[in-house]
């Protein structure tokens, strides 16, 4: 019996959310090209699109924003919980813990309940991630200011300031990372939702899957490569020693679906040039470009190109975030995609996800009591 390791090319649901053409490098949310959404919409508009099916009118958007902002303020027990976690703890562990603490065992799935719960969780999400950053930085925790829209409110709560370029880049990053069909974390969320577990528990399950370096952690790994290379003059030597001769994985390259340039990578690369760069940041961007050229030359014929994580760490660093926040910033955006997928699945095609395994162990064996075993 054939087994698809990693569930590669196994379809587990129907979806009206995200379309990917891996050969042409196309990504669309509900039919809209990701480039158009990054260029012309706010993250809140994309939240509305993904969970309600259409882009909102001005009135609908303002009402939706208000419902999100109402929940920027976290319950006191969540703030207390974040504050007592070890400051050197992994940020995704903090995220996972915070969402688990909000879990309600009596949640009843319905389109009406789900529609009300989504903006609540999106607001709480902003409060959780910004306060994780504050805690890691040794600052007192505080709730985001509801006078600001999503991306700006997040940066203001993290840094106390946010210029227009950084708000634009943060909004773009949030839109870029919203969804990508059913990678590992979304699959984990779907498995949890198929049991009719609550939304917070689904997010907790997804966050646990996001921790791995082959999924959410790829941006951190790709950025650490640049630090390891050190200077633009060392790129060729590093590539030969580590990738060609050492047979190590080139982090930030390759994707299970794309066989050409990841369209999200192109946006992140452009954003990196539009943000103000320090001399050090310019150096790492130059290293990234040279490494990209070598990687494409070596692996492009095999359909291995830079993915979204290749330049995203550079953008997050230019906005002001340290490496340990990169994966959690991915999760910050992807919460929306998880919510969109679990509500779609439960509302339209809910069935307990229960796959099978092909048994490869021994045939029936006679039991031997312990005193008779040699």
């Amino acid at each position: 019996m054939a087994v698809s390791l990693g569930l590669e090319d196994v379809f587990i649901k129907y979806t009206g959310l995200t379309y990917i053409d891996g050969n042409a490098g196309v990504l669309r949310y509900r039919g809209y090209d990701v480039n158009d959404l990054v260029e012309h919409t706010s993250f809140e508009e994309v939240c509305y699109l993904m969970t309600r099916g259409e882009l909102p009118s001005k009135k609908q958007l303002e009402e939706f924003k208000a419902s999100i902002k109402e929940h920027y303020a976290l319950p006191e027990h969540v703030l207390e919980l974040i504050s007592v976690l070890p400051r050197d703890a992994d940020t995704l562990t903090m995220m996972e813990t915070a969402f688990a603490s909000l879990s309600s065992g009596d949640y009843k799935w319905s389109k009406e309940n789900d529609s009300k719960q989504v903006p609540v969780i999106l607001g709480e999400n902003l409060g959780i991630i910004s306060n994780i950053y504050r805690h890691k930085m040794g600052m007192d925790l505080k709730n985001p200011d509801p006078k600001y829209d999503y991306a700006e409110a997040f940066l203001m709560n993290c840094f106390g300031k946010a210029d227009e370029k950084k708000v634009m880049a943060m909004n773009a990053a949030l839109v870029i990372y919203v969804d990508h069909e059913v990678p590992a974390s979304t699959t984990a969320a779907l498995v949890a939702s198929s049991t009719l577990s609550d939304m917070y528990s689904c997010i907790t399950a997804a966050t646990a899957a996001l921790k791995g370096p082959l999924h959410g952690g790829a941006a951190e790994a790709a950025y650490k490569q640049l630090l390891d290379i050190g200077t633009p003059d060392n790129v060729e030597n590093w590539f030969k020693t580590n990738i060609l001769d050492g047979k190590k994985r080139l982090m930030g390259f390759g994707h299970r679906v794309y066989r050409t340039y990841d369209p999200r990578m192109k946006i992140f690369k452009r954003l990196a040039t539009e943000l103000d760069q320090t001399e050090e940041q310019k150096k790492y961007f130059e290293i990234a470009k040279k490494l990209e050229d070598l990687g494409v030359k070596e692996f492009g014929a095999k359909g291995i190109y830079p993915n979204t994580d290749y330049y995203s760490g550079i953008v997050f660093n230019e906005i002001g975030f340290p490496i340990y926040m990169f994966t959690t910033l991915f999760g910050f955006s992807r919460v929306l995609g998880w919510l969109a997928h679990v509500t779609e699945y439960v509302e339209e095609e809910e069935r307990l996800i229960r796959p099978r395994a092909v048994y490869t162990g021994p045939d029936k064996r006679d039991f031997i009591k312990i005193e008779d075993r040699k």
Side-chain angles (χ1 to χ4, degrees), residues 7 41 65 72 89 103 122 124 162 192 220 241 245 312 352 363:
L7 297 181
T41 67
K65 283 183 178 180
Y72 282 178
S103 177
L122 291 172
E124 292 169 336
E220 294 184 18
T241 301
D245 297 340
S312 64
L352 180 66
D363 290 334

Side-chain angles (χ1 to χ4, degrees), residues 255-326:
H255 195 277
R256 185 68 68 86
V257 178
Y258 291 115
R259 294 296 177 265
T260 185
Y261 278 99
D262 185 330
R264 302 168 299 171
M265 183 282 295
K266 293 181 178 180
I267 303 172
F268 271 124
K269 186 177 183 179
R270 173 177 58 80
L271 291 172
T273 66
E274 294 175 353
L275 285 164
D276 296 329
Q277 297 176 322
T278 64
E279 288 305 311
E280 184 177 39
Q281 288 166 341
K282 289 178 182 177
K283 178 183 72 173
Y284 289 122
F285 183 68
E286 185 63 28
I287 291 171
K289 288 194 298 180
K290 292 187 72 171
L291 185 61
E292 176 193 345
D293 290 342
L294 289 175
V296 171
K297 183 178 179 181
E298 181 67 26
F299 302 118
K302 301 176 183 177
I304 300 174
Y305 287 84
N307 59 45
T308 186
D309 299 308
Y310 188 77
Y311 282 102
S312 64
I314 291 177
V315 171
F316 288 142
N317 181 257
E318 290 175 2
I319 292 173
F321 290 104
I323 295 175
Y324 61 72
M325 284 297 296
F326 292 176

Side-chain angles (χ1 to χ4, degrees), residues 189-197 345-346 350-354:
L190 288 168
V191 171
S193 73
S194 78
T195 71
L196 299 184
S197 186
Y345 187 75
V346 175
E350 189 273 324
R351 182 173 173 81
L352 180 66
I353 296 175
R354 202 295 188 192

Side-chain angles (χ1 to χ4, degrees), residues 47 96 194 196 199 203 231 356:
C47 289
E96 188 179 358
S194 78
L196 299 184
M199 287 188 184
I203 293 171
T231 65
R356 297 293 307 278

Side-chain angles (χ1 to χ4, degrees), residues 42-300:
S42 65
F43 178 64
E44 293 95 323
E45 286 177 83
V46 177
C47 289
Y48 193 99
L49 170 68
M50 294 295 280
T51 58
R52 306 289 174 88
E54 300 291 342
L55 287 169
S57 66
K58 286 185 178 180
K59 183 175 184 295
Q60 289 170 329
L61 180 59
E62 288 309 309
E63 291 174 349
F64 189 65
K65 283 183 178 180
S67 64
I68 294 174
K69 291 178 178 180
E70 185 181 346
H71 298 281
Y72 282 178
L74 293 172
E76 193 61 34
H77 80 271
V78 180
L79 287 173
E80 290 180 5
L81 179 58
I82 294 172
S83 71
V84 299
L85 290 171
R87 201 161 275 150
D88 61 353
D90 175 74
T91 53
L92 272 174
T93 298
M94 294 183 178
M95 178 181 176
E96 188 179 358
T97 304
F99 272 106
S101 74
L102 288 164
S103 177
S104 170
D106 60 358
Y107 183 78
K108 297 294 187 294
W109 291 88
S110 71
K111 288 191 176 182
E112 183 179 7
N113 286 346
D114 302 345
S115 182
K116 292 176 181 177
Q117 190 71 10
V118 164
V120 173
I121 294 176
L122 291 172
E124 292 169 336
N125 183 36
L126 193 151
I128 287 171
I129 306 305
S130 60
N131 276 297
I132 286 172
Y133 174 78
R134 292 183 68 86
H135 181 53
K136 290 284 286 186
M137 295 298 291
M139 297 186 285
D140 291 336
L141 305 194
K142 70 172 186 176
N143 288 311
D145 191 334
K147 77 179 180 183
Y148 299 111
D149 289 342
Y150 210 81
E152 187 170 9
F154 178 66
L155 296 184
M156 288 296 295
N157 211 44
C158 288
F159 306 125
K161 59 182 180 179
D163 65 47
E164 186 176 347
K165 285 183 179 179
K166 290 182 178 180
V167 172
M168 175 274 298
M170 190 71 235
N171 182 80
L174 287 170
V175 172
I176 291 168
Y177 270 131
V178 159
D179 187 45
H180 212 242
E181 203 190 63
V182 280
S185 58
T186 306
T187 302
L190 288 168
V191 171
S193 73
S194 78
T195 71
L196 299 184
S197 186
D198 64 279
M199 287 188 184
Y200 293 108
S201 295
C202 295
I203 293 171
T204 304
T207 306
L210 189 66
K211 282 184 185 178
L214 298 185
H215 186 17
E220 294 184 18
Y223 191 81
K224 287 176 181 176
Q225 281 181 159
L226 308 181
L227 300 181
D228 188 40
I229 293 169
T231 65
D233 293 340
N234 190 40
V235 173
E236 290 188 16
N237 178 64
W238 183 94
F239 186 79
K240 182 179 186 303
T241 301
N242 291 274
I243 307 303
L244 299 183
D245 297 340
K247 305 300 181 183
K248 293 181 180 179
R249 182 191 294 267
L250 183 57
M251 300 307 296
F253 262 67
H255 195 277
R256 185 68 68 86
V257 178
Y258 291 115
R259 294 296 177 265
T260 185
Y261 278 99
D262 185 330
R264 302 168 299 171
M265 183 282 295
K266 293 181 178 180
I267 303 172
F268 271 124
K269 186 177 183 179
R270 173 177 58 80
L271 291 172
T273 66
E274 294 175 353
L275 285 164
D276 296 329
Q277 297 176 322
T278 64
E279 288 305 311
E280 184 177 39
Q281 288 166 341
K282 289 178 182 177
K283 178 183 72 173
Y284 289 122
F285 183 68
E286 185 63 28
I287 291 171
K289 288 194 298 180
K290 292 187 72 171
L291 185 61
E292 176 193 345
D293 290 342
L294 289 175
V296 171
K297 183 178 179 181
E298 181 67 26
F299 302 118

